[in-house]
Amino acid sequence: MTDRVPVLKIGEILLVSIQVDLEDQMVLDLQEDLSNQIVATGAKGVVIDISALEIVDSFVGRMLATNASISRVLGAETIVVGMRPAVAMTLVELGLSLKGVRTALNLERGLKLLRRLSASRG
Amino acid sequence: MNDYGAVSASVETVPVANSSDVVTARQMVRTLAQRTGLSLVHQTKLVTAASELGRNMLIHGGGGVVRATTVADGGRSGIFVEFQDQGPGIPDIELALTDGWTSGNGMGLGLSGAKRLVDEFEIESGSGGTTVRIVKWGR
Ligand SMILES: Nc1ncnc2c1ncn2[C@@H]1O[C@H](COP(=O)(O)OP(=O)(O)OP(=O)(O)O)[C@@H](O)[C@H]1O
Ligand SMILES: [Mg+2]
């Protein structure tokens, strides 16, 4: 059994703050937990804080992209916040575009963006 | 690939048999890169490449061994990492290095992306297994 990344509910938002070097199984578990939690809580937004992540490889990148698509289908918008500059540079060179993944500089801006998105959706 | 005066006594070795070993291997590479004074961006690129190649070794090669050491060439120093497995090998290396090509259900970015992230990249593959060697130089 591997550890799981906690998913916190704050109002209509689910907050995930990744604080450990992720094993592949934890990445898969997180993806599943998030989908389940969106449905169970009716959350309108998901914020994934990756500011503590030292690398994002193709496996984690794929999870972020897949999660963005799944959550959208389930009626929630996902914002990935806090990507380190070195990680962003590496991702681009690796060839991962993270198409469809909304990002914000930090948690505060991510939350602001979510509020704006849900306001415009009415 | 050149032999760059790697000191065999200082080679770090991590056997990889499951996905937590991949984490251990990439942490070992990071520690070495930090100690060698690679910039943060270079560390990040090297460790990301190591993560891709370590996962390939596990998933496609059935596991193996990661070895890493500090190397020097003239005035510069860098990190050499070798990923060795006894898996089925890669039948067509050129094809495997194509962006987006995967024999399974991956994104096919691991091998080609890892190659772009490092300064030197070499694959030897046959029915006896696959060995990938990379070097990332400090600035
Ligand atoms: N160590 C290995 N042993 C055998 N085959 C390998 C090995 N490494 C890579 N391959 C082959 O090369 C292909 C391309 O590898 P690559 O890492 O680019 O993509 P992938 O692992 O399929 O997907 P991902 O984008 O998730 O990494 C693999 O699908 C596999 O067929
Ligand atoms: Mg791969």
Side-chain angles (χ1 to χ4, degrees):
Chain A
M1 269 295 283
T2 45
D3 296 331
R4 288 180 111 88
V5 180
V7 178
L8 309 175
K9 181 178 178 294
I10 304 168
E12 292 202 299
I13 289 172
L14 297 178
L15 176 63
V16 178
S17 179
I18 302 173
Q19 293 296 327
V20 293
D21 195 343
L22 294 178
E23 226 176 273
D24 288 359
Q25 190 55 50
M26 294 179 74
V27 175
L28 297 174
D29 289 344
L30 175 59
Q31 186 167 311
E32 196 181 322
D33 289 349
L34 264 173
S35 311
N36 290 336
Q37 288 290 313
I38 290 170
V39 172
T41 63
K44 290 284 168 258
V46 177
V47 176
I48 305 179
D49 180 4
I50 60 166
S51 58
L53 277 192
E54 292 179 331
I55 64 160
V56 171
D57 62 14
S58 65
F59 203 80
V60 173
R62 179 157 60 153
M63 180 273 286
L64 293 174
T66 305
N67 177 260
S69 311
I70 293 177
S71 64
R72 205 162 288 146
V73 171
L74 297 175
E77 204 52 59
T78 296
I79 319 275
V80 174
V81 304
M83 186 184 293
R84 298 180 179 193
V87 169
M89 291 168 70
T90 302
L91 267 182
V92 171
E93 204 162 330
L94 187 62
L96 267 180
S97 64
L98 291 193
K99 242 190 276 145
V101 179
R102 281 181 198 274
T103 55
L105 209 55
N106 54 38
L107 188 54
E108 197 182 339
R109 292 206 190 176
L111 292 171
K112 212 180 269 176
L113 176 57
L114 265 186
R115 271 197 298 273
R116 209 166 55 227
L117 288 172
S118 69
S120 70
R121 224 174 11 203
Chain B
M1 198 179 280
N2 213 315
D3 210 4
Y4 300 124
V7 192
S8 66
S10 66
V11 174
E12 306 255 7
T13 303
V14 175
V16 171
N18 56 53
S19 65
S20 89
D21 296 335
V22 175
V23 175
T24 307
R26 72 187 179 216
Q27 283 169 351
M28 175 273 280
V29 171
R30 171 174 292 275
T31 304
L32 209 55
Q34 277 167 346
R35 220 187 290 150
T36 309
L38 262 66
S39 73
L40 186 58
V41 172
H42 285 187
Q43 282 177 38
T44 305
K45 289 181 179 181
L46 173 66
V47 176
T48 304
S51 186
E52 296 296 340
L53 297 172
R55 180 179 300 108
N56 278 355
M57 199 174 78
L58 178 65
I59 297 195
H60 306 297
V65 179
V66 179
R67 295 183 189 85
T69 190
T70 299
V71 288
D73 179 41
R76 58 182 185 170
S77 45
I79 304 294
F80 166 92
V81 194
E82 179 182 85
F83 306 80
Q84 190 164 47
D85 66 58
Q86 265 87 53
I90 305 176
D92 186 340
I93 292 178
E94 206 181 315
L95 184 63
L97 274 168
T98 310
D99 264 348
W101 191 86
T102 173
S103 63
N105 54 3
M107 290 191 297
L109 283 179
L111 213 52
S112 51
K115 184 177 180 187
R116 278 191 293 273
L117 289 170
V118 298
D119 298 312
E120 293 176 42
F121 185 95
E122 173 182 285
I123 301 184
E124 265 173 47
S125 194
S127 53
T130 300
T131 303
V132 182
R133 299 186 188 90
I134 58 175
V135 176
K136 186 77 182 168
W137 293 109
R139 67 205 74 237

